[in-house]
Amino acid sequence: QKEVEQDPGPLSVPEGAIVSLNCTYSNSAFQYFMWYRQYSRKGPELLMYTYSSGNKEDGRFTAQVDKSSKYISLFIRDSQPSDSATYLCAMCLGGYQKVTFGTGTKLQVIP
Amino acid sequence: GAVVSQHPSRVICKSGTSVKIECRSLDFQATTMFWYRQFPKQSLMLMATSNEGSKATYEQGVEKDKFLINHASLTLSTLTVTSAHPEDSSFYICSVLPPTGPQTNEQYFGPGTRLTVT
């Protein structure tokens, strides 16, 4: 079993839709959770990070962490064609600790 | 977010040659930089942690004599792929950990270097 599981997609949605991206993980000791956006042939860009359980909102993006279920989510409201990219979840035990990435979900927002 | 540059962005080399990839932190001094490799449709795999002024820490299964890392200054780390082979063809990405980063492990990534070994 992989430490972090993420559906590779692709996920196609119409412009304006609410997008839900998810990851599950097996290591209950993970404390920090991150979402990265990666455009084709580019390096990942940090979108959101959260510590432990709870929600965090930043503009159209909301990150949720449910440590009891070992499940994290990223919601994108009013999705735009420019949101089309691969979204990687990532998590780690703590500072200076190795970060484990999901395989990424490819999202396509259709105008 | 922080600005991280990589050079070159793309390189094609012949089997048996060596290739050097540079990673520069442009916004702040970075004591710690990371090197990742990403194969198509696969996740980022950490290769090594580069610490300024000391030897890099390599992940299990990564040959330190093949992937030479030099972190000679607080803004520059280099990865040299020695005696490259076609199976080394991949997307190599570096990341930096800002001074406030260790608490959260926020990493800022470079744009990546596409290596093709023929």
Side-chain angles (χ1 to χ4, degrees), chain A residues 36 92 94-99 101, chain B residues 4 6 22-24 30-37 44-52 56-57 59 69 71 77-79 92-98 101-102 104-110:
Chain A
Y36 287 85
C92 66
Y96 288 114
Q97 299 296 313
K98 175 182 172 180
V99 176
F101 288 85
Chain B
V4 180
Q6 273 185 249
E22 292 185 350
C23 175
R24 292 182 184 274
T31 305
T32 303
M33 294 185 178
F34 302 94
W35 285 98
Y36 291 85
R37 182 166 50 184
L44 290 160
M45 298 301 296
L46 179 65
M47 298 176 67
T49 301
S50 170
N51 298 296
E52 188 269 338
T57 304
E59 293 298 302
I69 291 173
H71 195 153
S77 176
T78 60
L79 168 68
Y92 291 86
I93 311 175
C94 70
S95 71
V96 303
L97 200 59
T104 61
N105 232 313
E106 288 180 71
Q107 295 180 37
Y108 294 94
F109 287 84

Side-chain angles (χ1 to χ4, degrees), chain A residues 7 12 25 32 34-35 46 49 53-54 56 68-69 78 87 90 100-101 108:
Chain A
D7 188 335
S12 292
Y25 61 95
Y32 294 96
M34 293 148 280
W35 285 95
L46 179 65
Y49 76 88
S53 285
K56 185 173 184 178
S68 62
S69 302
D78 188 23
Y87 290 80
T100 301
F101 288 85
Q108 184 177 12

Side-chain angles (χ1 to χ4, degrees), chain A residues 70-92:
Chain A
K70 296 182 212 167
Y71 187 88
I72 68 171
S73 301
L74 178 70
F75 297 96
I76 307 174
R77 292 183 298 280
D78 188 23
S79 56
Q80 303 295 308
S82 58
D83 295 328
S84 298
T86 296
Y87 290 80
L88 299 151
C89 65
M91 49 200 76
C92 66

Side-chain angles (χ1 to χ4, degrees), chain A residues 9-110:
Chain A
L11 176 64
S12 292
V13 301
E15 183 176 355
I18 296 175
V19 176
S20 173
L21 303 166
N22 312 293
C23 286
T24 58
Y25 61 95
S26 57
N27 189 345
S28 58
F30 283 134
Q31 295 281 357
Y32 294 96
F33 304 89
M34 293 148 280
W35 285 95
Y36 287 85
R37 176 174 62 196
Q38 185 176 23
Y39 292 110
S40 182
R41 301 180 183 272
K42 300 291 183 183
E45 171 193 8
L46 179 65
L47 279 179
M48 303 278 286
Y49 76 88
T50 53
Y51 171 70
S52 195
S53 285
N55 295 355
K56 185 173 184 178
E57 188 174 321
D58 184 0
R60 296 185 295 111
F61 298 91
T62 299
Q64 284 186 355
V65 175
D66 182 348
K67 290 192 71 179
S68 62
S69 302
K70 296 182 212 167
Y71 187 88
I72 68 171
S73 301
L74 178 70
F75 297 96
I76 307 174
R77 292 183 298 280
D78 188 23
S79 56
Q80 303 295 308
S82 58
D83 295 328
S84 298
T86 296
Y87 290 80
L88 299 151
C89 65
M91 49 200 76
C92 66
L93 300 175
Y96 288 114
Q97 299 296 313
K98 175 182 172 180
V99 176
T100 301
F101 288 85
T103 52
T105 298
K106 188 172 183 179
L107 171 68
Q108 184 177 12
V109 181
I110 303 168

